[in-house]
Amino acid sequence: MNEIQELQSEHYRGRAKNAVQDYLVHKLLYPKVYLDADLDGWKLDVLAVDRAGLGDVHGVRLVLWEPGHIDNRGYSHRLEKAVAEAVQEFVGFPGHFRYLSVVCTEPKKQQWIPGPGIKDQSLAPDGVGRVGILYLDITEEEPSVKVLLKAERFRSSKEIVELADRFVAEKTANKEFREEL
């Protein structure tokens, strides 16, 4: 990848992170949102902890939809494989809600739809929880976020709560809501 492509890729990722951040801010009550977070070794593009840092943990990873390798439906084989692998790995993330965001970087691209295999893989082994899939079109002036597969809450644990508490205490949020004095 040349320098211009790398810079363009970083711009796409940055705009996508902001769009996901806005999506979570509107979805949650009082979130603390972190960009480029590392939660106990889990690299996240966006992390949100609801209720001013005391609530559910929402983790998001981006998957860029790169051009090329298009099938007869207009989908990328690389994208399908990348999403399937990311979903499979992300089921193990220590958070209450887990999302993958497919980021469309080509104008006028037909929306990608996850296949049945990905939908099956997105479920927790015990059926309590599902990795959600978001679709981000960042080619327009105002990026849009669509829910392709609704995230379902995974089981909570003492470890998740302690991990979130430590993270919030040590890190500064990119965006948060504070009570007025």
Side-chain angles (χ1 to χ4, degrees), residues 111-180:
Q111 180 177 304
W112 175 79
I113 299 171
I118 289 175
K119 290 179 181 179
D120 292 342
Q121 287 178 333
S122 69
L123 294 168
D126 67 358
V128 178
R130 180 171 72 178
V131 176
I133 299 179
L134 305 174
Y135 180 83
L136 278 80
D137 183 348
I138 59 169
T139 62
E140 301 296 324
E141 184 63 31
E142 188 68 32
S144 63
V145 178
K146 291 182 184 175
V147 176
L148 299 181
L149 191 59
K150 187 177 183 263
E152 295 175 5
R153 191 177 196 280
F154 282 75
R155 291 184 190 275
S156 191
S157 70
K158 180 180 176 186
E159 291 78 19
I160 293 173
V161 173
E162 289 173 351
L163 192 59
D165 287 348
R166 274 194 317 272
F167 186 87
V168 169
E170 295 171 3
K171 307 291 183 188
T172 302
N174 187 62
K175 189 167 193 168
E176 67 180 298
F177 296 88
R178 297 179 177 205
E179 292 183 39
E180 292 184 30

Side-chain angles (χ1 to χ4, degrees), residues 8-127:
Q8 190 174 37
S9 180
E10 281 305 304
H11 287 163
Y12 288 146
R13 293 184 77 77
R15 291 192 76 212
K17 289 173 192 176
N18 272 326
V20 169
Q21 174 179 253
D22 289 346
Y23 169 78
L24 290 172
V25 163
H26 287 96
K27 179 179 176 52
L28 307 177
L29 289 173
Y30 298 105
K32 284 190 176 197
V33 183
Y34 305 85
L35 301 180
D36 303 314
D38 183 332
L39 185 67
D40 199 35
W42 287 86
K43 304 287 188 219
L44 302 166
D45 293 294
V46 182
L47 172 71
V49 184
D50 203 6
R51 299 190 181 270
L54 300 173
D56 289 343
V57 176
H58 299 251
V60 184
R61 283 188 171 169
L62 303 177
V63 178
L64 286 182
W65 185 353
E66 298 177 33
H69 302 283
I70 305 300
D71 69 12
N72 60 1
R73 296 176 304 159
Y75 295 158
S76 167
H77 295 294
R78 275 195 268 173
L79 175 64
E80 195 81 18
K81 184 177 180 198
V83 171
E85 289 172 358
V87 164
Q88 200 167 29
E89 178 190 356
F90 213 39
V91 167
F93 168 69
H96 300 104
F97 289 90
R98 304 145 197 208
Y99 309 83
L100 289 176
S101 280
V102 174
V103 181
C104 179
T105 62
E106 289 186 45
K108 310 272 189 260
K109 190 80 173 163
Q110 180 182 353
Q111 180 177 304
W112 175 79
I113 299 171
I118 289 175
K119 290 179 181 179
D120 292 342
Q121 287 178 333
S122 69
L123 294 168
D126 67 358

